[in-house]
Amino acid sequence: SGSEFAKLRLIIAGGYDERVRENVEVYQELQDEAKQLDVAEQTVFLRSISTADKASLFLLCTALIYTPSGEHFGIVPVESMAYKRPCIAVNDGGPLESIKHAVTGYHAEPTPSKFCDALHDLVSMDEAAWRVMGQAGRNRAESLFSLEAFSERLEELLVACLNGKKVSSSN
């Protein structure tokens, strides 16, 4: 509803270098589009934030929206899940591995309407379901992407190699 929408804030945060023409152009395009869509009052742009500020944003947000296509991994969705925040990400590249659809977040076709559908599903959840999704994300981040998980997997691979076993990425 209109009153529910009025409560939402979109915070767009990321790296920014004014020496890079594309950064300057995209930043201006995003500001212009927010004005055209009449959401400028609800949109906050934060450029080149500190690690501490990023942590604060994760703790305060409802969800992360991750739009890059073709990312080979993408650490930001994993960071979001580590903070128990569901992530809505494009359905290709690294997020297909890191996010478990409808369990730790959502995969979406790279279109505004599909991202909107996923965001609607997420903000329509009751708080208990949102917390379950957040905890599932935290568990997944820890079990697959923590230093401990990486160390255990590396040790398994090294032992297999030392024992003359052929190693594949799926082992």
Side-chain angles (χ1 to χ4, degrees):
S1 72
S3 63
E4 291 295 314
F5 180 76
K7 294 178 192 176
L8 295 176
R9 295 290 175 265
L10 175 63
I11 299 174
I12 300 175
Y16 180 84
D17 185 341
E18 65 186 21
R19 298 169 298 177
V20 178
R21 174 185 278 168
E22 183 182 24
N23 284 189
V24 174
E25 290 171 354
V26 169
Y27 175 64
Q28 188 60 55
E29 288 170 12
L30 289 171
Q31 287 184 314
D32 292 345
E33 191 157 346
K35 288 175 189 168
Q36 289 173 350
L37 295 171
D38 198 27
V39 295
E41 294 294 318
Q42 294 169 267
T43 306
V44 178
F45 295 93
L46 301 175
R47 301 175 290 176
S48 299
I49 62 173
S50 69
T51 301
D53 286 343
K54 181 167 69 169
S56 294
L57 288 174
F58 277 129
L59 290 171
L60 295 170
C61 75
T62 300
L64 173 81
I65 300 173
Y66 187 75
T67 61
S69 291
E71 288 286 317
H72 65 283
F73 179 67
I75 191 70
V76 177
V78 176
E79 291 174 321
S80 175
M81 292 188 305
Y83 279 97
K84 300 181 183 180
R85 296 307 185 258
C87 181
I88 300 167
V90 68
N91 64 346
D92 73 13
L96 289 176
E97 178 184 350
S98 58
I99 298 166
K100 191 166 184 181
H101 182 70
V103 176
T104 65
Y106 294 98
H107 298 130
E109 292 289 328
T111 65
S113 64
K114 295 300 181 184
F115 268 83
C116 186
D117 291 345
L119 184 58
H120 180 268
D121 289 349
L122 193 125
V123 299
S124 297
M125 286 181 175
D126 63 37
E127 187 172 341
W130 176 80
R131 288 190 186 283
V132 166
M133 183 175 274
Q135 186 61 55
R138 172 68 174 260
N139 295 346
R140 186 166 177 85
E142 288 178 350
S143 69
L144 295 178
F145 305 107
S146 68
L147 182 57
E148 183 179 339
F150 175 79
S151 298
E152 288 173 7
R153 179 69 178 133
L154 181 59
E155 183 178 356
E156 289 173 12
L157 293 172
L158 290 173
V159 168
C161 286
L162 289 172
N163 290 327
K165 293 181 181 175
K166 187 172 178 153
V167 177
S168 74
S169 62
S170 62
N171 284 349

